[in-house]
Amino acid sequence: MPLAEAYIARGPDFYSKAERVLLGVVEDNDLVDPNAEEFHQSLFELAQLYYRTQRYEPAIARLEEWPSDIRPIRICRA
């Protein structure tokens, strides 16, 4: 999600805003199908954000939500 990525790029002071954006996609959102690529990207970004902020248990929990029939994505950043 570009908005969340922009917040993350701005640094730790903006991580909470990035988290709110990502949670808005993966929790109780009738507009984004859980099978959609945007949902999976947001789930992965949220897990990475939790890992980055040393919240390891929530990071693992989010990754455990990953559908078993979907190949994990790899995000490359420049």
Side-chain angles (χ1 to χ4, degrees), residues 2-78:
L3 179 57
E5 291 173 4
Y7 282 135
I8 291 168
R10 292 197 67 188
D13 291 342
F14 291 87
Y15 287 172
S16 62
K17 289 184 179 186
E19 182 177 3
R20 281 194 298 271
V21 169
L22 295 167
L23 286 172
V25 175
V26 300
E27 290 187 346
D28 299 322
N29 186 337
D30 295 333
L31 300 176
V32 179
D33 187 313
N35 295 315
E37 182 178 338
E38 293 83 4
F39 181 89
H40 298 139
Q41 287 176 341
S42 296
L43 191 62
F44 186 77
E45 285 287 338
L46 186 58
Q48 280 191 315
L49 180 61
Y50 287 152
Y51 179 82
R52 181 181 303 214
T53 56
Q54 300 178 351
R55 294 183 282 170
Y56 303 115
E57 289 183 23
I60 290 168
R62 289 297 176 176
L63 291 173
E64 287 176 341
E65 293 177 36
W66 194 269
S68 61
D69 60 334
I70 303 286
R71 185 175 179 189
I73 58 173
R74 181 171 176 85
I75 297 176
C76 298
R77 299 202 174 151

